[in-house]
Amino acid sequence: MTDTYAATINGTDALVSAHFDVINPANEQVIGHAPDCGATELDAAVAAARAALPGWRSTPLAQRQAMVKALAALLAEHKNSLMRLLTSEHGKPHADALGDVLGGAHWANAYADMDIPIEVTEDNAERRVEVRRVPIGVVGALAPWNFPVMMAMMKAAPALVAGNTVVLKPSPFTPLTTLRIGELARAIFPPGVLNVLSGGDALGPLMTEHPGIDKITFTGSSATGRRVMASAALSLKRITLELGGNDAAIVLPDVDVPAVAKQIFAAAFGNAGQICVAVKRLYVHADIYDQFAAALVALARAATIGDGAEQGTRFGPIQNRQQFERLVNLIEDSKANGYAFLAGGEAMDRPGYFLPLTLVDNPPEHARIVQEEQFGPILPLLKFDDIDDVVARANDSIYGLGGSVWSADADRALEIGSRLETGNVWINQAQAMYAHSPFGGHKASGIGVESSLEGLLAYTNAQTVAVRKAKPSPVTA
Ligand code: NAD
């Protein structure tokens, strides 16, 4: 018996006749059926969101903040059932699934704590000029499959706090947890304020084209981001794009090798490498390359890979067949080009989309495994011995999401890190994201930011209000 999940339109179950199967990537079994929403359901959701907009945007900010906080509390209250559901549709271990659910709650709370400022730019005897931040309207939110809950909350929470109504679409690979959150949220928000729809490949483009949607917030690959931007341009929708990355980590020769190898291992292979800000290219100084590689190999060989629902699993499967096949193809390409493997390199002989943690030994800079975003558990290790050269190699990428520098001398590392052309620079750490600091990519890694007040204000239009005062001051010569 598998469950059928409901889309939420106007605060209630949407009547949808078609459904699609959702697969557990650890065993390829069907675990649920998600509504296959199309143009009809999208029109209904957008109409509900538009009808709810006047009431929601005039609801006092404090009440909107309280309702978003209630949503965060609901995630925390249902964390265990949401964690199990998320593991079954995503594959990630329970501890990571819990982190995704609670991360979603954390971001929702952080946005709900932010106030929307009114900036007074002039206030004198003649006039008062202030800049208000008003909601944009109906927000279409498109989320990826790697962190379904956190990504959904990083979009829905600021949009709602800012007074917009929302149509949220999870990835077709991981729709169930988000659909369930949509059902739970009906108890909090007025009908039409938060609508949650799942659907196949056609639904995203229908959203980016829809004339009733005023802003698209999208997290996903850079290739899809380009399509989203082109489509949104036709109706001049506002956009926020959080896209792919190919983060370089630069390791200087003075590091504590075992300690730093452990941290970089976690930053490269956590979530089976399916993190936008995973370490995806590892540049290690030639003096410690062999020692560092040996430490990573030992960690990779000791890793427990398996079904995320089983106790002790640290790394789950690749989330979907399409991504699994892409990764197998990257491994085959590396083999065909004669690159050496330090660990892994063969698909695992078991049901499900499993790959071992794979380390590629110093492939050339032009290799596909170096140039492309792998988004999986395959890490190229690259040797360097000159700082200017390694900085140039790190920056020679279409991506600009994040980068890290590791050294016992933090000042020196910061000086090197400051030369990286990325939206995030980490020193002696990687992947850290802070709800009160902007998170976004340079170059092909995105447009706009999430998190921080800047991320919240991305869900507003600036409105300059100028009031001429009744009695202008007399002009003095
Ligand atoms: P994807 O681009 O395939 O899909 C993302 C979402 O867009 C899904 O909901 C999908 O259904 C929808 N979609 C697909 N085609 C569309 C179209 N033409 N128009 C509108 N919507 C469309 O991405 P994915 O495979 O789900 O996620 C992996 C990618 O996301 C990686 O590149 C990763 O780096 C990136 N990512 C970036 C961040 C970040 O914050 N920068 C965070 C997580 C993931």
Side-chain angles (χ1 to χ4, degrees), residues 143 145-146 169 172 204 218-221 224 242-244 276 373 375 439:
W145 47 259
N146 63 337
K169 188 194 87 64
F218 169 85
T219 297
S221 61
T224 310
E242 293 289 356
L243 307 177
C276 57
E373 179 187 34
F375 213 61
F439 177 82

Side-chain angles (χ1 to χ4, degrees), residues 102-266:
L102 295 179
H106 173 74
W107 250 265
N109 268 323
Y111 274 119
D113 280 335
M114 292 178 201
D115 280 322
I116 298 178
I118 295 176
E119 188 192 353
V120 179
T121 51
E122 272 189 61
D123 192 9
N124 51 38
E126 286 176 27
R127 62 184 167 267
R128 177 182 164 90
V129 184
E130 63 184 35
V131 183
R132 298 179 185 173
R133 296 291 180 156
V134 298
I136 294 172
V138 174
V139 169
L142 298 159
W145 47 259
N146 63 337
F147 285 87
V149 181
M150 245 176 86
M151 298 294 131
M153 287 303 118
M154 286 172 78
K155 299 180 178 315
L160 294 168
V161 168
N164 305 276
T165 54
V166 173
V167 178
L168 168 64
K169 188 194 87 64
S171 164
F173 294 118
T174 54
L176 301 183
T177 315
T178 312
L179 289 167
R180 178 77 188 118
I181 291 169
E183 288 177 33
L184 292 169
R186 294 176 196 172
I188 299 172
F189 297 102
V193 169
L194 176 60
N195 307 276
V196 183
L197 302 189
S198 58
D201 291 345
L203 186 58
L206 285 172
M207 287 174 69
T208 57
E209 286 160 15
H210 203 290
I213 292 181
D214 305 294
K215 164 156 183 150
I216 289 288
T217 169
F218 169 85
T219 297
S221 61
S222 299
T224 310
R226 287 187 188 95
R227 289 196 279 275
V228 168
M229 190 166 177
S231 169
L234 297 175
S235 50
L236 290 177
K237 287 180 178 48
R238 279 81 182 120
I239 50 169
T240 298
L241 304 177
E242 293 289 356
L243 307 177
N246 196 5
D247 290 13
I250 298 173
V251 182
L252 303 193
D254 62 356
V255 296
D256 173 347
V257 170
V260 170
K262 215 168 154 186
Q263 288 177 74
I264 289 190
F265 177 78

